[in-house]
Amino acid sequence: MLARFAFAVAALAAATLPLGSASAQMPIPPLQPDPGEGIFLLMTDIHFDPFAEPSLVPELDRNPVSKWPEIFKNAGMSIQPYGQDSGYALTTSALGAAAAQGMTYDYVLYTGDYLSHGFNANYRRLAGPSPQGLASFAVKTAQFGFHLLSGTFTEIPIFGVMGNTDSVCGDYEIAPNSAFIHGIAGQWAQLSGQPERFSQFRTGGFYKAAHPTVADQDLIVLNNIFWTPRYKDTCNADGGDPGSAMLSWLDWQLYQTRQAGRKAQILMHVPPGINAYSTTHRSGACEARVSSFWRDPFADDFLALMRKYAGTVDYTFSGHTHMDSFTVIRDSDGTPLIASEIAPSVSPIFGNNPAFTAFLYDRQTGAVKDSATFYLSNLEAAAKGAEPEWRLEYVYSKTYSTTDLSPASRADVAERISNDAPLRQQFSALYAVKAEKKQVDPSNWKAFSCAQTATSREAYTACYCAGQ
């Protein structure tokens, strides 16, 4: 651990130099795997925007995905600023930076949102006089995102998750058994390296795969947009209740995993627990302001499943908020059961700096031991034509003085953040990835602090509304 800490300090010092400078061609990797350990990469919420240069849209619409890189390169596009999604320049810059850190990744997780905000309206406005069709263009855009991922990280598995914008029907309107899901299924199955595991994906966008390196572990991938308050299947009025169907499926998959003596990690787009940001922006009595990420009964039913299968699941990975945070799911007696990672986005549309995270883990047990987050430190200058400078933002074990990222360690960090003002300020700065505009401040801190360890509405209300 002392050697790993020394490497982390050296890496932080080296990261004061931008990628591309003479001294930064071979950066000191911030995560140093010991024998039996590996590293995986987590990226989320790129929200690829094919409309960033409107004049290209008709040409993109007419051409296959294989022609898109040439079309974008010839256009000489710049990086998108705050308030916009990720175009070609920002996406390729982020992927190139992730590949340039001197670390070998065992696999890549991408936790959803491939399409840009306002996708459908922008297509109808910009496709030109002879559009090829919204569904076709949406599928090609999502395929292009995975094309860029697989072109950067070759010969390693890539696992994808459906996000709320990933639908032809509209935001939060994913239709089961839709042309969009069918259009990406083959590519996702191939890049996972386990195409036989995708037989059910075409129905609901969820699947279960074997962990690529941990022999007795599974990856369970949810399409939990079905569980969100805003979900509505406008494309298929007779689509049934996919949320309940997926919950039953999850119960069965966890049962099979436990019976086989295996463990599982769960991938999803929208994190479990309480949406602190929405809670602080609603009006009315305190109890009425509390806003869950998921609607009833799915929020409570999921927590019940996690307690039912305690010891089978110890980690979840998600995105959606665009910010860098975490939640700890506890047992009814307060014991930490599951650490839920909420990863920062590549898209800067909500004011955060673009980022991605690498994780150190045990290849035998799957235990997550440490993480390193990288970010674009000069977004405003890069949007005006300067060379993008991707830097190491922080190493988790050094910043929070932990030996691992287990549920118990995360719960300890949450308690220390709530009681230690300097550490709280550090978390607040990292939450929006060191963006100048802070999302967490003394006026709203309690909402975010309670969300870290109170995942049910009742527990959160007791924490947040006490004394109000």
Side-chain angles (χ1 to χ4, degrees), residues 4 6 20 30 72 84 90 124 132 158 177 183 186 234 246 249 290 307 338 350:
R4 186 174 295 158
F72 284 120
Q84 295 185 24
L90 177 53
R124 295 184 179 104
Q132 302 299 302
I158 302 174
N177 203 31
T234 59
M246 187 176 70
W249 175 86
V290 175
R307 290 163 181 163
I338 297 168
F350 296 134

Side-chain angles (χ1 to χ4, degrees), residues 351-433:
N352 60 292
N353 283 316
F356 56 85
T357 304
F359 291 85
L360 180 73
Y361 76 104
D362 188 307
R363 285 176 173 161
Q364 181 174 359
T365 66
V368 183
K369 296 189 169 185
D370 205 354
S371 68
T373 299
F374 302 81
Y375 77 116
L376 182 56
S377 64
N378 68 333
L379 179 60
E380 289 186 342
K384 297 176 182 177
E387 187 72 17
E389 297 178 1
W390 290 88
R391 302 177 186 269
L392 175 64
E393 185 190 20
Y394 74 106
V395 175
Y396 196 94
S397 61
K398 179 179 183 298
T399 299
Y400 294 115
S401 301
T402 63
T403 57
D404 58 37
L405 273 68
S406 66
S409 292
R410 290 283 204 173
D412 176 69
V413 169
E415 182 176 358
R416 286 191 283 118
I417 289 174
S418 67
N419 295 313
D420 184 329
L423 194 62
R424 188 183 314 150
Q425 292 175 356
Q426 179 80 298
F427 172 81
S428 298
L430 298 175
Y431 181 78
V433 200

Side-chain angles (χ1 to χ4, degrees), residues 273-342:
I274 304 300
N275 186 335
Y277 178 85
S278 292
T279 297
T280 60
H281 285 75
R282 298 175 75 175
S283 59
C286 183
E287 293 82 355
R289 295 199 305 269
V290 175
S291 176
S292 297
F293 278 116
W294 304 346
R295 59 189 166 93
D296 296 332
F298 301 117
D300 287 342
D301 287 350
F302 179 82
L303 293 179
L305 277 184
M306 295 303 97
R307 290 163 181 163
K308 176 181 177 181
Y309 293 101
T312 299
V313 179
D314 59 4
Y315 236 90
T316 77
F317 296 92
S318 62
H320 183 63
T321 68
H322 290 220
M323 306 300 161
D324 187 352
S325 190
F326 66 92
T327 293
V328 179
I329 297 176
R330 296 176 178 270
D331 205 347
S332 55
D333 63 1
T335 302
L337 294 179
I338 297 168
S340 296
E341 176 73 25
I342 306 172

Side-chain angles (χ1 to χ4, degrees), residues 25 28 30 40 53 58 80 87 89 103 128 144-146 161 164 173 176 180 263 286 306 347 370 403 410 429 431 447:
Q25 291 300 312
I28 298 173
F40 66 90
E53 176 49 63
Q80 284 65 44
M103 296 181 291
F144 185 64
F146 255 71
V161 178
N164 54 278
E173 296 179 6
F180 182 85
K263 296 184 69 173
C286 183
M306 295 303 97
S347 168
D370 205 354
T403 57
R410 290 283 204 173
Y431 181 78

Side-chain angles (χ1 to χ4, degrees), residues 32 43 75 85 88-89 147 150 178 198-199 224 238 273 275 292 335 344 358-359 425 455:
Q32 296 286 326
M43 302 188 82
D85 279 324
Y88 181 78
H147 172 80
S150 61
S178 66
F198 278 71
S199 60
N224 72 344
D238 298 323
N275 186 335
S292 297
T335 302
F359 291 85
Q425 292 175 356
T455 50

